[in-house]
Amino acid sequence: MIITSLENNKIKKYLKLKQKKYRDEEKLFLVEGEHLVEEAYKENLLFDLLVLEEFNYKIEFPYTFVTNSIMKKLSDMDSLPKVIGIVKMNEEREVFGNRILLLDDVRDPGNLGTIIRSSVAFHITDIILSQGSVDLYNNKVIRSSQGMIYKVNIIRRDLKEIILKLKEEGYLILGTDVCDGEDVSTIVTNKYALVMGNEGQGVSSKIKELCDKNIYIEMSDDCESLNVGVATSIIIYELNR
């Protein structure tokens, strides 16, 4: 079977998933390209699959062919993907592990994708986004996470409320501050929640007040600061050691 019309009900439904409102309602989102589709398939999150006409896609999952014009309409990529997957959002988990990352209004989708990828690499168990952080299912977040978005528990909550709860459960709340902090390489802890801040303003004052300890990355005086994606990756690598 091949779908040739943009008026097809399935295609009209999936086109709506390009908007956050409908993604949240349906608990579904779009991914483009074989790698992201196959990672979703491995995690049993693949809901439906559209394949460019005449492309012989070898995957043990039923799919529907679509025309170039439909694939182009669904895609946000510069080059036309051969496959687009419709993927189920991860079920949120309220029971956390011992290594939590809290993101205070991180707005850049590329930064969030990088942070997710590094979090999986360095054994972060849970990521908690503030209400003001970028949409998790933004297409740029998904692409830059390289499929790691499926492999870690990610939820969105009020950070102040969640930090107070974590304190009661014995987590060490770590903030970041180059002026009033300890070198991250000296920190030893098995149960922590690390707070990383906004690209321009850092950690907000109301959240910083709740931190038990501030840390920083030892680096050259010639470099004033690091991108939040890079900084987060270095810190969680050090904490993982």
Side-chain angles (χ1 to χ4, degrees):
M1 176 187 174
I2 181 169
I3 298 176
T4 59
S5 173
L6 289 167
E7 296 304 311
N8 178 278
N9 287 336
K10 178 184 282 193
I11 301 304
K12 286 165 71 175
K13 175 183 176 180
Y14 293 161
L15 279 169
K16 288 183 177 180
L17 297 179
K18 297 177 82 170
Q19 302 175 51
K20 182 181 185 303
K21 172 185 174 183
Y22 291 103
R23 289 195 294 270
D24 291 344
E25 285 179 3
E26 299 292 333
K27 303 299 180 186
L28 297 170
F29 62 102
L30 302 176
V31 303
E32 305 182 40
E34 293 105 303
H35 175 67
L36 290 175
V37 164
E38 286 156 19
E39 289 296 326
Y41 172 71
K42 289 176 190 175
E43 299 297 325
N44 199 31
L45 292 171
L46 195 56
F47 175 79
D48 199 1
L49 181 57
L50 304 177
V51 176
L52 195 61
E53 56 184 325
E54 300 181 359
F55 177 57
N56 183 22
Y57 193 33
K58 295 180 179 178
I59 187 172
E60 293 183 4
F61 191 91
Y63 57 78
T64 304
F65 285 113
V66 297
T67 61
N68 277 38
S69 60
I70 290 174
M71 192 66 82
K72 187 174 183 180
K73 193 75 173 177
L74 285 165
S75 175
D76 287 328
M77 295 174 63
D78 294 330
S79 57
L80 201 64
K82 291 184 173 64
V83 301
I84 287 183
I86 294 81
V87 178
K88 294 176 281 189
M89 292 182 178
N90 285 344
E91 289 188 17
E92 294 187 352
R93 189 175 67 238
E94 284 286 356
V95 178
F96 305 135
N98 287 343
R99 300 177 175 189
I100 302 174
L101 178 60
L102 299 98
L103 300 181
D104 187 12
D105 289 5
V106 170
R107 302 274 172 80
D108 183 271
N111 283 337
L112 179 54
T114 296
I115 289 168
I116 292 169
R117 194 173 179 184
S118 295
S119 294
V120 174
F122 303 125
H123 307 293
I124 291 294
T125 55
D126 310 271
I127 299 174
I128 303 174
L129 306 177
S130 69
Q131 301 293 359
S133 291
V134 64
D135 176 28
L136 175 60
Y137 297 102
N138 176 294
N139 197 26
K140 290 182 180 178
V141 174
I142 296 164
R143 289 206 304 269
S144 57
S145 81
Q146 286 293 301
M148 298 301 102
I149 194 172
Y150 313 130
K151 298 178 184 293
V152 61
N153 180 44
I154 309 174
I155 66 175
R156 186 179 298 270
R157 295 290 186 275
D158 179 282
L159 288 195
K160 184 174 181 179
E161 290 180 8
I162 206 80
I163 288 172
L164 293 173
K165 177 184 174 184
L166 293 174
K167 279 176 171 284
E168 291 177 357
E169 295 175 3
Y171 287 85
L172 177 67
I173 311 300
L174 297 172
T176 48
D177 193 326
V178 295
C179 299
D180 181 28
E182 297 180 31
D183 185 340
V184 62
S185 65
T186 67
I187 302 298
V188 179
T189 176
N190 293 318
K191 189 174 183 180
Y192 67 83
L194 168 67
V195 186
M196 297 299 295
N198 171 269
E199 289 85 350
Q201 307 300 320
V203 178
S204 62
S205 57
K206 67 177 182 178
I207 298 301
K208 190 173 287 189
E209 290 171 357
L210 298 175
C211 294
D212 299 316
K213 183 177 292 189
N214 286 319
I215 57 177
Y216 71 93
I217 301 166
E218 184 71 37
M219 59 185 184
S220 167
D221 292 338
D222 293 332
C223 182
E224 184 178 336
S225 63
L226 293 172
N227 167 284
V228 67
V230 173
T232 303
S233 300
I234 293 171
I235 290 172
I236 61 178
Y237 165 77
E238 287 287 355
L239 292 172
N240 183 58
R241 293 205 302 164

